[in-house]
Amino acid sequence: MSGKAGKFTRDSLGLAFTQYLVRAMSMARGFVAAKMLDPMSFGAWNALQLMMDYGSLAPFGTQQGLDQMVPARLVEGDEARTARLKRAALFNVVAFSILFAALGLGWASVGSSRMRDAWHLSGLTIALLCVMLVNVANVGTSILRSHGDIGALSRWFQIQGLVGSGLGLVLMFWMGRWGLLWGWLAGCLVAFVFVMRRGRTVFPLVPRPAVDSLDLVQIGLPLYLFSASSLVMRNLDRIVVLRFLGTQSLGYYGLSVNVLTLLMAIPDSLVYVSYPQFVRVYSEAGRKAEVLHQRVERLARGIAIGVPFAAGMCAIVCPALVHVLLPKYDPCVGAMRMLGFGATGIALASLASIVLMTVGRRVILVPSAILLTALSGGLQVLSIRWNGGLTGIAAASSTAYLVSGGILLSLAGASMELDELYDLALRNGSLDDPDIADALAQNFVELRVLRLHNWRTLSRLAKGIEPGAESSITKLAWSSMTQHMADTALDLIGPAAPLYLGADDNPGAGKWQRQWLWSKASSIAGGTSEVQRTILGDRMLGLPR
């Protein structure tokens, strides 16, 4: 176990170091480009990057399905089915990427005069070729990662980022913003060749459609929709800036986004490395959620402590650097400070999404993705109406990130605990007890009701409606569910309920006892249940005082 933990740490830190190295190079490219180019040209480059970012959505769930299915197939040991799955994934990615390129060129030719005027069809074609190379390479890195070769992923990031950004910086001195594009194409091409050579023993060279093509999309679609919504949430602010405030403002705002990109390096690495390991461990343990609990808890605690600290440091240092080195970009300082604190929400939401996918609760992600994206867009449009400027849009984005992270992590945690309680009841024979069976069923119903309350709150926020007194219903539902689930846990462990850490024959090693003690605070923290009922009686029911 210690060897596996050491490998996880090495892989995570190695990937995080690579991410920081690449993102530092990308930020250097951004700062130099901002210094050399005027805000209008820098904004045009950011707009093209947006299109390439959305190109990662072209595979339509295939990438996420591959991450979910390959580790499970490797555990089963069926090499023929695994090879067929890989060929089907390659076929999907190539076909969907070609479709995305055709639609992108059609949109630029007919609809987007700004993009066409800035880059012409030749520049857009180069950008779409980059999208194709990256998407196919992503299939290779996903397969290599499932086979335990995390180092290949780190090398791919290094080659693409360092070659693409470094060469782009050099070419920019002669070609302006076009040098950035040609440099990025070179980086994508070299990284693609590396992945093909590194994965030649496990990566299929010939794409082939199969029944698995549909299975990949179907299984990966929930996480794809969530990932798409996360990408939209992380880019929607730039789209709003471009649409309502113009290309020059996008140039200012694009510099602010660099801080968010830097802060997400370690959290993104942890989640990326953890996902195939979660799937493998969960499959090997017979689909028991208890094997994930401590892993998820450690990751969530690290994110909740480390990311806000880093954001605070960036809020102090980065604006001062901008003022000294890039004084013409001073309008982005307020947005830069705001965006940094949204990184915690993005990281927690990403962690929650892979947990929900692993334990088979992927259906939760679909409505959550839609509502959270709508929430982000609604808040940003409101900030435009209230003349919040770049800082207002950044504040709206960070609020949406934090809300999404908190809600999804709470749903993921409750889902895991409910699965653990069911497994515990199955092992000790408690399911034959009608009272225990009824309590578990009631816990399931209360969790579903809480989920619906959360979705209603998000829907109201997305429409620009304040939650009002109805939020007290959600708080009461959460408190009730938390306490009832903790009571059920103690009923299940029976005579072990008075025990705690270090005691023998104690299911969960004290976790359920800690959960029960903590649950008592749920009806106090954030407003006592009595206060919440008073609010409902007074403001919703109109009862006399």
Side-chain angles (χ1 to χ4, degrees), residues 61 84 104 111 162-163 187 224 261 273 278 284 305 340 342 359 407 423 429 453 464 467 486 497 500 536:
R84 187 182 67 192
L162 297 181
V163 174
Y224 167 80
T261 302
V273 172
F278 282 5
E284 291 174 347
I305 295 173
V359 301
I407 289 178
D423 291 336
H453 280 310
Y500 204 57
L536 292 174

Side-chain angles (χ1 to χ4, degrees), residues 424-448:
L424 179 59
L426 198 62
R427 289 198 304 270
N428 64 19
S430 298
L431 282 179
D432 296 331
D433 185 338
D435 292 334
I436 294 294
D438 286 346
L440 287 171
Q442 181 64 24
N443 293 153
F444 176 82
V445 171
E446 290 180 351
L447 177 59
R448 183 62 60 87

Side-chain angles (χ1 to χ4, degrees), residues 10-246:
R10 289 193 302 272
D11 289 341
S12 299
L13 290 178
L15 185 57
F17 174 77
T18 298
Q19 291 266 4
Y20 268 117
L21 185 63
V22 171
R23 294 184 189 198
M25 191 67 182
S26 178
M27 286 186 68
R29 179 188 63 180
F31 278 116
V32 174
K35 187 77 173 177
M36 292 185 58
L37 303 175
D38 58 274
M40 186 70 72
S41 296
F42 189 57
W45 168 244
N46 274 271
L48 192 67
Q49 283 185 305
L50 274 176
M51 188 182 74
M52 290 190 285
D53 287 345
Y54 280 108
S56 65
L57 301 180
F60 202 67
T62 299
Q63 183 75 38
Q64 291 77 11
L66 192 67
D67 288 339
Q68 183 82 357
M69 295 178 69
V70 169
R73 291 279 175 90
L74 291 175
V75 171
E76 293 171 2
D78 192 332
E79 295 183 5
R81 291 183 65 200
T82 303
R84 187 182 67 192
L85 177 68
K86 294 174 182 177
R87 289 193 294 269
L90 184 59
F91 172 83
N92 281 12
V93 168
V94 171
F96 284 134
S97 296
I98 291 174
L99 178 61
F100 176 84
L103 293 175
L105 288 174
W107 166 74
S109 300
V110 177
S112 178
S113 59
R114 288 181 179 177
M115 291 289 286
R116 187 172 63 251
D117 293 342
W119 293 101
H120 311 296
L121 290 182
S122 58
L124 297 176
T125 301
I126 295 171
L128 291 169
L129 178 58
C130 292
V131 169
M132 172 72 78
L133 292 172
V134 169
N135 285 342
V136 175
N138 277 335
V139 176
T141 57
S142 178
I143 292 172
L144 288 168
R145 181 171 55 136
S146 297
H147 283 272
D149 190 358
I150 303 297
L153 179 64
S154 296
R155 298 292 184 278
W156 178 75
F157 274 123
Q158 289 174 2
I159 294 170
Q160 183 194 36
L162 297 181
V163 174
S165 299
L167 187 58
L169 278 176
V170 174
L171 294 177
M172 185 175 56
F173 284 94
W174 288 276
M175 305 172 67
R177 65 171 182 263
W178 281 87
L180 296 172
L181 179 57
W182 282 108
W184 190 245
L185 174 62
C188 292
L189 185 59
V190 174
F192 172 82
V193 172
F194 165 78
V195 171
M196 294 300 102
R197 289 180 58 83
R198 182 73 170 246
R200 58 186 177 274
T201 59
V202 295
F203 185 75
L205 296 177
V206 180
R208 185 176 302 166
V211 176
D212 290 324
S213 297
L214 296 176
D215 291 339
L216 284 163
V217 173
Q218 182 179 4
I219 291 175
L221 187 60
L223 185 56
Y224 167 80
L225 290 175
F226 177 78
S227 299
S229 78
S230 179
L231 179 63
V232 170
M233 285 177 64
R234 292 166 77 163
N235 290 329
L236 188 60
D237 48 358
R238 285 187 280 174
I239 296 175
V240 171
V241 170
L242 180 62
R243 172 66 178 82
F244 293 100
L245 301 181

